[in-house]
Amino acid sequence: LRGYLSSLESSLSKTLFGPFWRRLAQSLNLLIFESVVEGTPFNEGGALQFRRDMQTLFLLFRFYSQRPENLFKDIKEACLVLCMPASELESFSEALASTEDPSYVLESKGIHRLSSDVVQKLCTQRT
C-alpha cells in the first residue's frame, strides 16, 4: 500500500492526490470496521493483535497527516473497547446499559463517534 500511495503521489497533482488519500482512508476505515470488527469475536490477544495491525496501517498515512489515527476514528474507538481488560469491559458495559445518557460513559473512555448500541455490541464480541 505504501508503494502504491507513493507512486500515486508522484503521478498526481497535489489537488488530486490530497482528496484521494483522504477518501482512501475513509473507505478503509469503513471497510475494515464493517468487515472485520463488526460481528467478529475477539479474545484479548486477538484484540491486541488487531490494534497493532491497525497502528501499522495508521503509520502508512503518517506521510500525509500528522494524526493519521484520526482518519480511522471508527477503528480507533473499536480498539479502545476491544482492548479493555475483561473486568473493566464488564463494568463499562454495565454502566452503558444502566444510564439514560450514555454519552458521558462513552466520552470517559475517549469514544465520541461510535454509538452506545455499537459499543454494546463490541463489548459482547470480546470473549
Side-chain angles (χ1 to χ4, degrees):
L1 182 59
R2 174 68 190 125
Y4 176 68
L5 286 171
S6 180
S7 177
L8 282 172
E9 182 179 21
S10 62
S11 301
L12 297 173
S13 69
K14 286 188 178 207
T15 57
L16 292 176
F17 184 70
F20 169 78
W21 72 257
R22 284 182 188 85
R23 182 66 179 220
L24 177 62
Q26 290 171 347
S27 297
L28 285 171
N29 178 61
L30 186 61
L31 175 71
I32 293 168
F33 188 82
E34 290 179 349
S35 64
V36 176
V37 175
E38 288 188 326
T40 302
F42 285 89
N43 62 23
E44 186 175 355
L48 293 172
Q49 181 63 52
F50 177 71
R51 182 176 64 189
R52 281 191 296 273
D53 293 344
M54 293 303 96
Q55 287 170 339
T56 301
L57 175 65
F58 302 164
L59 285 175
L60 291 175
F61 286 86
R62 180 157 299 288
F63 294 98
Y64 315 110
S65 172
Q66 290 181 345
R67 300 188 73 189
E69 62 279 359
N70 288 338
L71 300 167
F72 300 90
K73 288 183 180 178
D74 295 332
I75 294 171
K76 178 180 143 184
E77 291 185 3
C79 286
L80 290 173
V81 175
L82 294 171
C83 291
M84 282 183 199
S87 60
E88 184 180 342
L89 185 66
E90 185 177 337
S91 62
F92 174 68
S93 180
E94 289 171 4
L96 272 179
S98 66
T99 185
E100 289 184 24
D101 181 18
S103 61
Y104 175 76
V105 177
L106 293 170
E107 290 172 5
S108 72
K109 297 296 182 183
I111 299 168
H112 305 281
R113 182 174 169 95
L114 298 179
S115 71
S116 61
D117 290 339
V118 169
V119 171
Q120 282 286 41
K121 288 179 188 175
L122 291 175
C123 289
T124 64
Q125 288 173 218
R126 256 299 295 281
T127 59

